[in-house]
Amino acid sequence: MFKVKTYLGQSSIHGIGVFLGEPVKKGQLVWQFDEDFDMQITQKHLDALYPVQYDYFSTYCYKSIKTGFYVFCIDDAKYVNHSVTPSTTGIYPPHCLHVEGADVAVRDLAVGEEITSDYLLFDSRRLPWLFAE
């Protein structure tokens, strides 16, 4: 769940994006998995859904490299776009194998700047991109 003010807007990267509603300092916490709001879903659970539900979840979930669960962000974090030069990066508690991490700003970020992530760092479904010709 976001820990800073955000809003949705038209992205120059892809469709809808998430933009900052307040300035953020380098290293500041931007997003953190919150077990009271965000969901961890198993493949078995996804497979039991109606097709329209499956399509929605598979579009807006990521499959955690760390835990193997599909993660669904209950807030607008599901609209964060991918970038090879992201504005945030993940941090993970080293002693917690079954806990999702958090995202911090990689540099000072201004109001109105789009929040981006490098999907390759946390979504195991994106790993084949590394080997694409």
Side-chain angles (χ1 to χ4, degrees), residues 5-26:
K5 292 180 185 176
T6 64
Y7 63 92
L8 296 178
Q10 185 66 40
S11 171
S12 63
I13 298 169
H14 180 272
I16 296 171
V18 182
F19 298 84
L20 286 168
E22 65 181 88
V24 172
K25 294 288 186 189
K26 179 180 180 178

Side-chain angles (χ1 to χ4, degrees), residues 29-96:
L29 185 64
V30 174
W31 176 89
Q32 185 172 23
F33 180 81
D34 186 326
E35 64 185 26
D36 291 329
F37 292 96
D38 301 313
M39 299 171 63
Q40 289 183 312
I41 303 166
T42 65
Q43 183 66 55
K44 182 178 178 182
H45 184 112
L46 278 180
D47 291 343
L49 296 174
Y50 287 102
V52 68
Q53 295 169 316
Y54 183 92
D55 289 346
Y56 184 81
F57 276 98
S58 63
T59 297
Y60 292 109
C61 285
Y62 68 87
K63 187 172 184 185
S64 174
I65 289 171
K66 183 169 183 171
T67 66
F69 288 108
Y70 289 87
V71 176
F72 179 76
C73 300
I74 199 73
D75 64 357
D76 291 336
K78 63 183 153 283
Y79 297 112
V80 170
N81 283 311
H82 169 76
S83 174
V84 295
T85 56
S87 60
T88 64
T89 193
I91 57 171
Y92 300 93
H95 60 286
C96 299

